[in-house]
Amino acid sequence: MTLLSRPTISIGDALSTLVRGDLPVRFEAYDGSAAGPADADIRLELRSERGLRYLLTAPRDLGMARAYVAGDLALHGVHPGDPYAALALLQGSLRLRPPAPTEVVHLLRGLGVAPLVPPAPPPQEHLPRWRRTVEGLRHSMGRDAEAIQHHYDVSNVFYRHVLGPSMTYTCAVYPDETASLEQAQETKYDLVARKLDLRPGQRLLDIGCGWGGMVLHAAREHGVRALGVTLSQAQAEWAGERIREEGLEDLAEVRHLDYRLVEEDGFDAVSSIGLTEHIGVRNYPAYFGWIRDRLRPGGRLLNHCITRADNTGRATAGPFIDRYVFPDGELAGSGTIVTAVEDARLEVQHHENFRVHYARTLAAWCANLVEHWEECVAEVGEGTARVWGLYMAGSRLAFERNEIQLHHVLATRTDEHGVSGYPLRHTF
């Protein structure tokens, strides 16, 4: 980084020229300048030139995320484990206008910075998509395994603090306004089991089983022989220990395995809870076709996944989510999911949206992160803990604003005569 000359404009003044209307927060910069109301409840502090370079050299939300994760941008007035209030205020009230190209040059000269060389990103950041080709084609087995490990092998201890005793990292189902997170997660598993009509002696395949919550529930509560598979070694080890602790070895098993390598078939039910987001839209036909081939005639599929609120937008996530949270993750509208399921010759029986439940789930996870902040920082470092607070609070806001949703799609495999075995009315 070189200096063209002594700055002729402050960072605070530069920001003020780009804001439409009033700045809803207080902004303070390392050059001593400020903008916005002095008595604002939320205060943003830009602590270093590196932070400014992050903001100026990265697209969309990535620059702010980099500066925040690295500690160069601080949020005062909210806890880093739950910056929801700050995000809601900024998204709801902050209006920035795009500067003209000549204005960009003027501002940069006024700030005294050039050339704008991007700083190295924080260590928590994953490679950009174009550089991941060295790991294999998108959604190849090797690349999928690396992406899953980036997100899920953070630390079982960390996840235990954030997720709670259930170790369930998917949307809960709240039976009422007073239910706790643990009650809501148990309600979710019970609902999935009832939608699948699980009965003693049946066989369940749970794809992307996480820490084994559905496998354990199916075996313990319904006497089902349940097999779960996950690409996370840490998850598989945790689940195996839980199975042994509960004495369910005869009914439950979790393998560290890509679902595409499962050789068994003839399952009475398949549950896919939070995996479709990692599959890739182009791979839906192969994915649901693979599931159909693993079901016996009359068998059921319950697909639980985050979806877009429409079926027309881009499936890829923004740069922050893609590089810090879900590498290669893709979201499609629920209509796209239903179409893919039906095109795989599975009969859709029921379709349900749990959007508001996921907003509540994320709020509960943020509360857990705040409560256990010191332990989480000690376990994974402050940068990673900041990533999770930012990601979960931002996701909560997206669910509340109906930018993303969460859908269950229940389907059956019919036999050669079109018989599905599904009752005249739902029984769940």
Side-chain angles (χ1 to χ4, degrees), residues 77 125 236 295 315:
E125 184 170 318
L295 284 169

Side-chain angles (χ1 to χ4, degrees), residues 199 201-205 218-219 223-227 250-252 267-268:
R199 300 175 187 178
Q202 288 186 330
R203 297 171 61 225
L204 167 71
L205 173 62
V224 169
R225 289 178 292 157
L227 169 63
D250 292 340
L251 290 175
F267 289 96
D268 298 283

Side-chain angles (χ1 to χ4, degrees), residues 333-385:
S334 64
T336 303
I337 301 288
V338 168
T339 297
V341 171
E342 292 176 335
D343 287 349
R345 293 180 294 130
L346 291 165
E347 182 179 9
V348 172
Q349 302 287 357
H350 189 259
H351 178 196
E352 188 171 5
N353 184 5
F354 291 94
R355 173 176 67 86
V356 296
H357 292 262
Y358 217 157
R360 294 178 67 92
T361 303
L362 286 155
W365 288 340
C366 279
N368 284 343
L369 180 55
V370 170
E371 181 180 355
H372 300 286
W373 180 255
E374 292 183 2
E375 299 100 312
C376 287
V377 169
E379 181 67 22
V380 300
E382 186 166 356
T384 297

